Amino acid sequence: MADIFVQKQHRDEPKVSGWAAGIDVGGTKTLICIGTAERQVVVRHKFPTVHTKDAHFFFDRLFGELEYSLKQAGLSLEQLQGIGIGFPGMVDNDSGTITHAPAIPWSSQERAYRDSTDDRNTHENIRSIIAQRYSGRLVLDNDVNMAALGEQWLGAARGLRHVMMVTVGTGIGSGLILNGELYKGAAGGAGEMAYWIAGEEQARQAAEHKGTNEFGVFESVTSGTAITRSVKSALASGMSGTYMVRLAEGDRDKVGARHVLQAAAEGDIEAQTILEPALAHMAMALTNVISLLNPEMIVIGGGVAESNTYYLDEIRQRVALWTDIPCTIVPAGLGNEAGAIGGLATILGSTVR
Amino acid sequence: MADIFVQKQHRDEPKVSGWAAGIDVGGTKTLICIGTAERQVVVRHKFPTVHTKDAHFFFDRLFGELEYSLKQAGLSLEQLQGIGIGFPGMVDNDSGTITHAPAIPWSSQERAYRDSTDDRNTHENIRSIIAQRYSGRLVLDNDVNMAALGEQWLGAARGLRHVMMVTVGTGIGSGLILNGELYKGAAGGAGEMAYWIAGEEQARQAAEHKGTNEFGVFESVTSGTAITRSVKSALASGMSGTYMVRLAEGDRDKVGARHVLQAAAEGDIEAQTILEPALAHMAMALTNVISLLNPEMIVIGGGVAESNTYYLDEIRQRVALWTDIPCTIVPAGLGNEAGAIGGLATILGSTVR
């Protein structure tokens, strides 16, 4: 299942001044990139994420894949200036612990383990586990922060100093680059736009859901999951959804966010109506971010919105309607490689961290 | 009318390693502080802001007052390491121009002058005007950014790295200190929380008011002006408002935000009802700021809310209801001296600017 792409170094190419590995651990796939300080990605290696409750086993396998990738570039671990790894969860770079990461079994089971007899994986420290396999520089962060750094290093926001990256996928994530640096806040929690509230009803919901591992109120309207739920509910309530159903190969049960986005882009009014609340709330939130942070650019990534012109145009139009502070809103430039490339940036970028 | 307070330097005090002047130009009063690198404010001089359309005359008078203040400390302009000046408007520190500053006649008339024959004050550059009077280091910024720096240098947020300062007065202002530095955004516009929108109705209002010099939608619910408008409207619609009227010395026409705040703090239900939307929207916005930026502290200043325990307690309770991300919410520590002290901090603080 593993895809690998290697760009050979030719003898007459300029000398490489530094190597690093950037790794993006996703819920289903992991991507390893090997790159140079000259911003060349020379190896891309993608494979299914290992699902295990044993963190030691997880990193044994991950480092196996890393050594395989390095071999493609004729490199060894010792030649790397460092490794940057992004995870789908909250990551404390200092302590090396991961929380709120339902996609990673050995991190998210913490609460369950606490009350069980088998607690060997509780409070697993990634730094110490990796230290047994690699002693060089190691940067850990969440996947959206990594994606923001990737887009700033090699993507849509290359070289900009004030950038917000928003990912619209299963949930909503965001990463902030402010004054040229990743902004993480007091306890590494910055960028949790998913939990924004607007209005009394949302405030009531936030109070109910506080402290649970559930989706935030904002993402419960704007995420891909929300759009899917919304279209399913409309279909159940009698919406014909002819065009969306056709896009889902005639299967009403399979209609999801993807089909809504595509149909909306092709002018289907039903799909545009379904999408309306997600668009309105996202545009409102971005308007507020623009007022608060005055970023140069907002980069929109993630499976749902990334390459959908209708979504982006609608967002741009609404934002322009509500604020006259200039801010460029663009699709992500690196697709699902942004996280791994951000891992490279943490090691090879000029940004001081 | 001028108040002056001088703290004499005693001969046995440790030597001062640097002097600066911090100036806060307000709509009605201007405050000059002379201070040391050891964070001692040795002169405070307050006087009515000069209202003139002639910027040269304005700075002649301002520097007259500054020289007077310096004399109190036995200093001359040449002994200063620099001057930091805060203005009630948008300030471009590089170009030295001020916009959106209705309280300063020579800055806000720009558009009117453009079409008139008398355009000598158009595009007035403060830096070049001040350069004729002072050649040392000069930092210009808006008053709320200065207040945030003041609170971080000598006030409630002393030494913290991630701080939001919100001022609740005639309007709403905010200043951000992120990663230990003032955050100004791409074009110096960061902190414009006044323009936040929440919900369809507010979005419609924002679209209507965009580009005008009017209040933002968020501040049209949460500012002192909004609270005053709200209580006046309730009184006109038949609310008895007995206690608030009593606080306003029996004059129904004089009831304003100040009386609402005081009455609410003393348990008056009518006042608490009037205050409710302002509290709810402010708490919601601060909850969103906490989710997005994960600050250590939010400092609330400004005439309306600053020293009102009820207001602060209600904000704290609501925020705690909606998010479990920890953030300390405190009243400002420097009162209306924060801006001038922030001016000192821009020159004498360790923060690189």
Side-chain angles (χ1 to χ4, degrees):
Chain A
M1 294 286 284
D3 305 324
I4 190 138
F5 169 80
V6 183
Q7 182 183 313
K8 290 269 187 261
Q9 285 288 113
H10 295 290
R11 281 187 191 282
D12 55 353
E13 275 185 11
K15 249 198 146 178
V16 165
S17 62
W19 297 94
I23 305 177
D24 184 41
V25 177
T28 52
K29 300 260 185 181
T30 294
L31 173 65
I32 297 180
C33 285
I34 310 294
T36 76
E38 286 70 29
R39 306 193 196 204
Q40 296 292 323
V41 179
V42 296
V43 177
R44 292 166 163 87
H45 174 41
K46 191 186 245 182
F47 51 92
T49 296
V50 179
H51 283 273
T52 167
K53 288 181 181 174
D54 182 341
H56 291 270
F57 179 70
F58 178 91
F59 284 101
D60 274 343
R61 290 286 300 273
L62 187 69
F63 272 75
E65 302 286 355
L66 174 57
E67 301 223 17
Y68 171 77
S69 311
L70 286 166
K71 206 170 285 170
Q72 310 305 312
L75 294 169
S76 67
L77 264 181
E78 292 67 35
Q79 287 172 272
L80 295 178
Q81 290 190 1
I83 303 174
I85 315 181
F87 296 91
M90 277 186 79
V91 181
D92 185 324
N93 183 43
D94 296 328
S95 73
T97 52
I98 297 187
T99 50
H100 298 291
I104 301 184
W106 44 265
S107 76
S108 60
Q109 303 294 323
E110 198 174 304
R111 196 167 300 177
Y113 274 107
R114 202 172 289 154
D115 303 320
S116 80
T117 47
D118 175 12
D119 67 348
R120 74 202 169 99
N121 288 314
T122 308
H123 308 300
E124 213 59 271
N125 182 313
I126 300 173
R127 281 204 171 273
S128 64
I129 296 173
I130 294 177
Q132 295 162 27
R133 289 154 185 89
Y134 179 70
S135 59
R137 191 156 166 239
L138 177 69
V139 177
L140 308 171
D141 214 320
N142 75 60
D143 47 4
V144 191
N145 282 348
M146 286 295 188
L149 285 168
E151 290 290 340
Q152 190 213 18
W153 197 60
L154 203 65
R158 192 160 169 168
L160 297 187
R161 288 178 53 77
H162 310 290
V163 180
M164 182 187 219
M165 166 106 198
V166 181
T167 56
V168 185
T170 313
I172 300 288
S174 82
L176 296 168
I177 291 171
L178 306 179
N179 284 336
E181 287 182 43
L182 190 64
Y183 179 73
K184 306 185 62 167
E192 287 291 359
M193 207 168 75
Y195 293 88
W196 272 25
I197 49 177
E200 270 176 47
E201 171 54 21
Q202 292 197 354
R204 199 189 53 69
Q205 287 172 33
E208 262 178 28
H209 294 217
K210 199 193 73 165
T212 67
N213 232 341
E214 290 172 57
F215 281 123
V217 169
F218 176 71
E219 68 190 338
S220 76
V221 181
T222 55
S223 68
T225 314
I227 297 166
T228 297
R229 191 174 49 234
S230 176
V231 70
K232 284 193 185 302
S233 148
L235 285 168
S237 310
M239 179 183 73
S240 73
T242 315
Y243 192 67
M244 289 178 273
V245 172
R246 194 190 306 165
L247 290 177
E249 290 164 355
D251 189 343
R252 286 176 77 85
D253 293 342
K254 283 198 178 149
V255 174
R258 203 158 48 91
H259 311 107
V260 178
L261 267 290
Q262 192 187 332
E266 294 175 18
D268 183 52
I269 303 290
E270 286 182 328
Q272 291 175 353
T273 307
I274 293 292
L275 205 53
E276 177 55 34
L279 278 171
H281 278 81
M282 179 58 76
M284 233 182 276
L286 297 187
T287 301
N288 292 348
V289 168
I290 291 168
S291 294
L292 185 69
L293 297 178
N294 187 196
E296 292 157 281
M297 182 180 276
I298 293 175
V299 179
I300 300 188
V304 171
E306 192 156 73
S307 51
N308 193 286
T309 318
Y310 174 78
Y311 184 93
L312 278 162
D313 284 347
E314 287 292 313
I315 294 283
R316 284 193 196 105
Q317 277 169 32
R318 280 150 215 253
V319 168
L321 198 65
W322 297 330
T323 181
D324 54 3
I325 304 170
C327 178
T328 314
I329 300 175
V330 297
L334 301 175
N336 51 26
E337 291 187 355
I341 292 174
L344 295 176
T346 63
I347 304 297
L348 301 169
S350 56
T351 304
V352 181
R353 300 195 81 221
Chain B
M1 292 286 285
D3 306 325
I4 190 140
F5 169 80
V6 183
Q7 183 183 310
K8 290 266 188 261
Q9 284 288 114
H10 295 289
R11 283 187 189 283
D12 54 353
E13 275 184 12
K15 248 195 148 186
V16 166
S17 61
W19 297 94
I23 305 179
D24 184 41
V25 177
T28 53
K29 300 260 185 180
T30 295
L31 174 66
I32 297 180
C33 284
I34 310 294
T36 75
E38 287 70 31
R39 306 192 197 204
Q40 297 290 324
V41 179
V42 296
V43 176
R44 293 166 163 86
H45 173 42
K46 191 185 244 181
F47 51 93
T49 297
V50 180
H51 284 272
T52 168
K53 288 180 180 174
D54 182 341
H56 291 270
F57 179 69
F58 178 90
F59 284 102
D60 274 342
R61 291 285 301 272
L62 187 68
F63 272 75
E65 302 285 355
L66 174 57
E67 301 221 19
Y68 171 77
S69 310
L70 287 167
K71 207 170 285 172
Q72 310 305 312
L75 294 168
S76 67
L77 265 179
E78 292 67 36
Q79 286 172 274
L80 294 179
Q81 291 191 358
I83 304 175
I85 315 182
F87 296 92
M90 276 186 79
V91 181
D92 185 325
N93 183 44
D94 297 328
S95 73
T97 52
I98 297 188
T99 51
H100 298 292
I104 300 184
W106 43 265
S107 75
S108 59
Q109 304 294 322
E110 198 175 304
R111 197 167 299 178
Y113 274 108
R114 203 171 288 155
D115 304 319
S116 80
T117 48
D118 175 12
D119 66 348
R120 73 200 171 99
N121 289 314
T122 309
H123 307 300
E124 213 58 271
N125 183 312
I126 300 175
R127 281 203 171 274
S128 64
I129 296 175
I130 294 178
Q132 296 162 26
R133 292 156 184 86
Y134 178 70
S135 59
R137 192 158 165 237
L138 177 69
V139 178
L140 308 172
D141 213 321
N142 75 60
D143 48 3
V144 191
N145 282 348
M146 286 295 188
L149 285 169
E151 290 290 340
Q152 189 212 19
W153 196 61
L154 203 65
R158 193 162 169 166
L160 298 186
R161 287 176 54 76
H162 311 289
V163 180
M164 181 186 220
M165 165 105 198
V166 181
T167 55
V168 186
T170 312
I172 300 287
S174 80
L176 296 167
I177 290 170
L178 306 179
N179 284 336
E181 286 181 44
L182 190 64
Y183 179 75
K184 307 185 62 166
E192 286 292 359
M193 206 168 76
Y195 294 87
W196 272 25
I197 48 177
E200 270 176 47
E201 171 54 21
Q202 293 198 352
R204 199 188 52 69
Q205 288 172 31
E208 264 178 28
H209 294 216
K210 199 192 73 163
T212 66
N213 231 340
E214 290 173 56
F215 281 123
V217 170
F218 176 70
E219 68 190 338
S220 76
V221 182
T222 55
S223 68
T225 313
I227 297 165
T228 296
R229 192 174 50 233
S230 176
V231 71
K232 284 192 187 305
S233 148
L235 285 168
S237 311
M239 179 183 72
S240 74
T242 316
Y243 192 66
M244 289 178 273
V245 173
R246 194 191 305 164
L247 290 177
E249 289 165 357
D251 189 345
R252 286 175 78 86
D253 293 342
K254 283 197 175 147
V255 174
R258 202 159 47 92
H259 310 107
V260 177
L261 266 290
Q262 191 187 333
E266 293 174 21
D268 182 54
I269 302 292
E270 286 181 327
Q272 291 175 353
T273 307
I274 294 292
L275 205 53
E276 178 56 34
L279 278 171
H281 278 81
M282 178 58 76
M284 233 182 278
L286 297 187
T287 302
N288 292 349
V289 168
I290 291 169
S291 294
L292 185 69
L293 297 178
N294 186 198
E296 293 157 281
M297 182 180 277
I298 293 175
V299 179
I300 299 187
V304 171
E306 191 159 73
S307 52
N308 193 287
T309 318
Y310 174 79
Y311 185 93
L312 279 162
D313 284 347
E314 287 291 313
I315 293 283
R316 285 193 195 105
Q317 278 170 31
R318 280 150 215 251
V319 169
L321 198 65
W322 298 330
T323 181
D324 53 5
I325 304 170
C327 178
T328 314
I329 300 175
V330 297
L334 301 175
N336 51 24
E337 291 187 353
I341 291 174
L344 295 176
T346 63
I347 305 297
L348 301 169
S350 55
T351 304
V352 181
R353 302 194 81 220

